[in-house]
Amino acid sequence: MTRHARNCTAGAVYTYHEKQKDASQSGYGTQNERVGKDSIKNFDCCSMTLQPCRTPIVSPEGHLFDKEALLQYMITKKNEYCRKLKEYEKQKHKQEEELAELGRAEQQSKVNDFLKRESMVKRQNDIYKMKSQKRSEKNVSSISNMVNGLDKHLPSFWVPSETPDAKKAPMQKPDKTIYCPMSGKPLKLKNFVDVKWTLVNDPSDKKSLAVRENRYMCAVTHDILSNAVPAAVIRTTGHVITMECFEKLIKKDWLHPLNGEKLTEKDIIPLQRGGTGYATTNVNLEGKNARPVLQA
């Protein structure tokens, strides 16, 4: 078969291969790309700073945090709550003052109306009515909202937020609860567990701990820990073990393999492994770039 036959463009059918090729060259179609190793958080890194933890603690859901970073996060959220609470109280106090002012104005208008009815004679009352009728007819005759002094109250009549009927959205009372940035559940420091890593004792490896490829191992089986190895934390002592160790050793008699303490299923916290900043952890490690689809 000749080369001309392989590159024949005289076909009446627009094949799927040709469509995909034209879409990639023209910039159409959604691009999918699996996230590389450099974009995935290591299992021993903080879920907020994405750096190795100096004082690691783990949440009941298995998310690893640096204690210093978590405390700073909680302090920031508390300061934000205090600021919002002050704004809410200021707005509430302002609304109470406005209601009190309206009450006083209504009471004063009632007093003025009473005095006016008692002091004015019928003739003056008739003249006042005639003037008010003329004024109302003059106002009705114009449909502009910039006459009769309205321009002072409505400087930007084309902006919807500046209209007289526009009202600012009332501020809701802020929530005092601090939520976990990973799980979204209420954050309580007393529920966190201190993590105890078991270092890999390799005399031949002279590198620092931060640049080592194999840093930690299982406290029982001494298997190397990594993102590819599911691990868990024992709540009572904070030791990190592999899930394989849990399934084969601990789950049989529910005893701590290091000190012999009695364990329950709640004492085992599965450790969440690395994920990306824009994909759900360990669920979807694929990045998507949505673009218009090429129509045939």
Side-chain angles (χ1 to χ4, degrees):
M1 185 178 289
T2 62
R3 183 172 180 84
H4 176 72
R6 292 193 183 96
N7 297 336
C8 181
T9 58
V13 180
Y14 190 33
T15 63
Y16 177 79
H17 174 71
E18 293 175 341
K19 183 178 178 180
Q20 293 294 107
K21 183 178 179 181
D22 294 342
S24 61
Q25 292 178 355
S26 60
Y28 285 90
T30 301
Q31 287 183 338
N32 297 337
E33 183 177 358
R34 184 165 179 82
V35 178
K37 181 180 178 181
D38 296 336
S39 300
I40 300 176
K41 180 185 78 69
N42 288 330
F43 71 98
D44 59 339
C45 292
C46 176
S47 298
M48 290 192 297
T49 62
L50 305 181
Q51 298 296 325
C53 298
R54 290 182 291 182
T55 310
I57 54 177
V58 64
S59 67
E61 292 78 22
H63 298 288
L64 193 69
F65 294 96
D66 192 342
K67 192 172 184 178
E68 181 181 355
L70 188 64
L71 289 175
Q72 185 66 33
Y73 171 78
M74 296 177 67
I75 292 173
T76 303
K77 287 297 181 180
K78 287 183 179 179
N79 293 337
E80 183 180 354
Y81 165 76
C82 293
R83 178 180 58 81
K84 290 183 178 180
L85 184 62
K86 289 181 180 179
E87 293 179 357
Y88 172 76
E89 291 177 350
K90 183 178 179 181
Q91 176 185 341
K92 188 177 180 181
H93 182 67
K94 184 178 179 181
Q95 290 177 352
E96 292 176 354
E97 289 183 348
E98 290 178 353
L99 291 176
E101 185 67 25
L102 288 175
R104 290 192 295 267
E106 185 178 0
Q107 187 68 22
Q108 186 65 30
S109 65
K110 290 181 179 179
V111 173
N112 294 337
D113 291 341
F114 176 77
L115 295 175
K116 188 180 296 183
R117 284 195 301 268
E118 293 295 327
S119 62
M120 293 182 64
V121 294
K122 187 175 183 304
R123 180 173 176 277
Q124 293 176 343
N125 200 4
D126 293 340
I127 295 174
Y128 175 77
K129 289 181 180 179
M130 292 175 62
K131 290 183 178 180
S132 61
Q133 289 178 359
K134 290 181 180 181
R135 192 181 299 111
S136 61
E137 291 176 358
K138 183 179 179 181
N139 292 340
V140 172
S141 62
S142 177
I143 61 174
S144 176
N145 57 359
M146 297 294 289
V147 298
N148 300 327
L150 289 178
D151 55 336
K152 298 180 181 179
H153 302 283
L154 190 63
S156 300
F157 62 92
W158 56 87
V159 181
S161 60
E162 296 293 336
T163 57
D165 296 335
K167 297 182 180 179
K168 294 184 178 180
M171 185 177 180
Q172 301 296 331
K173 187 175 182 179
D175 190 2
K176 189 177 181 180
T177 307
I178 301 176
Y179 296 95
C180 178
M182 297 300 296
S183 63
K185 297 182 179 180
L187 187 63
K188 296 182 180 180
L189 195 60
K190 64 180 182 180
N191 296 334
F192 282 74
V193 178
D194 295 334
V195 178
K196 296 180 181 179
W197 298 109
T198 304
L199 298 177
V200 176
N201 296 323
D202 188 3
S204 61
D205 195 351
K206 303 298 181 180
K207 298 179 181 178
S208 63
L209 183 64
V211 297
R212 287 183 188 177
E213 185 176 354
N214 300 326
R215 294 191 286 266
Y216 305 112
M217 61 183 180
C218 176
V220 180
T221 62
H222 291 184
D223 291 335
I224 303 299
L225 299 177
S226 65
N227 279 359
V229 180
V233 179
I234 303 177
R235 186 190 300 270
T236 56
T237 60
H239 290 98
V240 182
I241 59 173
T242 60
M243 291 300 295
E244 184 179 3
C245 173
F246 165 70
E247 295 289 341
K248 294 182 178 180
L249 298 178
I250 300 178
K251 204 172 182 179
K252 290 182 179 180
D253 49 8
W254 291 102
L255 293 176
H256 198 297
L258 299 179
N259 56 17
E261 292 181 356
K262 190 69 177 179
L263 298 176
T264 60
E265 190 172 358
K266 294 182 179 179
D267 294 330
I268 305 299
I269 304 175
L271 191 63
Q272 301 292 337
R273 289 172 287 171
T276 64
Y278 55 89
T280 307
T281 306
N282 294 328
V283 175
N284 182 17
L285 297 180
E286 187 179 45
K288 284 189 176 183
N289 182 20
R291 298 185 301 182
V293 181
L294 180 64
Q295 300 292 333

